[in-house]
Amino acid sequence: MKKSLFLSKTLYVMIGLLMVSSLVLNGCGKSLDVPVENLMVEDVSVVDPLFEPAPVPVETPVSVPVETPVSVPVETPVSVPVETSEPFGMMETPMMETPMMETHMSVYKDGTYFEQRTYQNPSGTDAITVQLEMSNDRVKNLSIGILGDDQTTKIYQQKFADGIGTLVVGKSFDEIGPVGAVNGSSLTHVAFEAALQAIKQAAQS
């Protein structure tokens, strides 16, 4: 559209120049005294009725909101006093109570003791031997020697020997009292208890 308008203006200017030149050269036989410099060519503006200038958009300034900085409160650290009971290296260590160890005072001498004693039965007098090993006032070992004359006496003495160990071995010497009948042997214990008393007296001396 701009190019067409330019051509139209140029065409009109050229036509005007041709007309002026013709008047100057042939203008009814008269010479024009008007200097060429004074000839004014009117700029004829031709408006194209189909040309309608587009409206120039005007930019509307947009107001951009500016963020206002927000001040964030800063927490001030609070110093908490720490209680120190004792300076380093000077802490008091609680004393542990050490259990008191009972010291046992031996009443009887450690060792092996031997005694022979007799007892009465329906057939006469019979005897046994008692060998006892003592350690820290306790009976550690015990052995019974069978000295019966007849077979019946030997059987009852053997029954006594087989059962007396569980009643004596491992016990404190002072805890051993009258044992009475053992395994059906009702008379052999008399000689055993007599031998036990003799060993106790010997271990104390």
Side-chain angles (χ1 to χ4, degrees), residues 7-70:
L7 293 175
S8 298
K9 290 182 178 181
T10 305
L11 181 60
Y12 281 111
V13 171
M14 292 177 65
I15 293 172
L17 290 175
L18 291 175
M19 291 177 65
V20 171
S21 300
S22 177
L23 290 174
V24 171
L25 297 174
N26 302 318
C28 296
K30 296 181 181 180
S31 61
L32 294 176
D33 296 331
V34 180
V36 180
E37 290 83 359
N38 293 331
L39 291 177
M40 298 296 293
V41 180
E42 183 179 359
D43 185 11
V44 180
S45 298
V46 179
V47 179
D48 190 351
L50 298 177
F51 174 73
E52 183 177 355
V56 179
V58 180
E59 294 183 358
T60 304
V62 180
S63 61
V64 180
V66 180
E67 294 184 359
T68 304
V70 180

Side-chain angles (χ1 to χ4, degrees), residues 62-196:
V62 180
S63 61
V64 180
V66 180
E67 294 184 359
T68 304
V70 180
S71 60
V72 180
V74 179
E75 295 184 359
T76 304
V78 180
S79 61
V80 180
V82 179
E83 296 183 0
T84 56
S85 57
E86 296 289 340
F88 182 77
M90 299 293 291
M91 296 182 64
E92 182 178 354
T93 304
M95 297 183 64
M96 300 295 293
E97 294 184 0
T98 304
M100 298 294 294
M101 298 294 293
E102 294 184 1
T103 56
H104 176 74
M105 301 295 294
S106 295
V107 178
Y108 305 101
K109 297 177 182 179
D110 294 345
T112 301
Y113 299 88
F114 180 86
E115 292 290 338
Q116 179 177 335
R117 290 291 181 270
T118 61
Y119 66 97
Q120 295 293 324
N121 60 35
S123 61
T125 302
D126 288 308
I128 60 171
T129 60
V130 176
Q131 181 173 312
L132 184 147
E133 182 182 356
M134 190 181 303
S135 175
N136 197 24
D137 290 349
R138 291 184 177 274
V139 177
K140 187 176 180 180
N141 288 305
L142 177 69
S143 62
I144 304 296
I146 299 171
L147 302 177
D149 291 334
D150 58 51
Q151 189 65 26
T152 301
T153 301
K154 290 180 179 179
I155 291 174
Y156 282 107
Q157 288 182 353
Q158 186 63 53
K159 287 183 177 181
F160 181 87
D162 292 341
I164 192 61
T166 58
L167 301 176
V168 175
V169 177
K171 290 187 177 181
S172 173
F173 198 37
D174 286 335
E175 292 177 358
I176 303 172
V179 294
V182 177
N183 272 352
S185 175
S186 58
L187 298 176
T188 311
H189 71 90
V190 176
F192 174 77
E193 291 171 358
L196 206 64

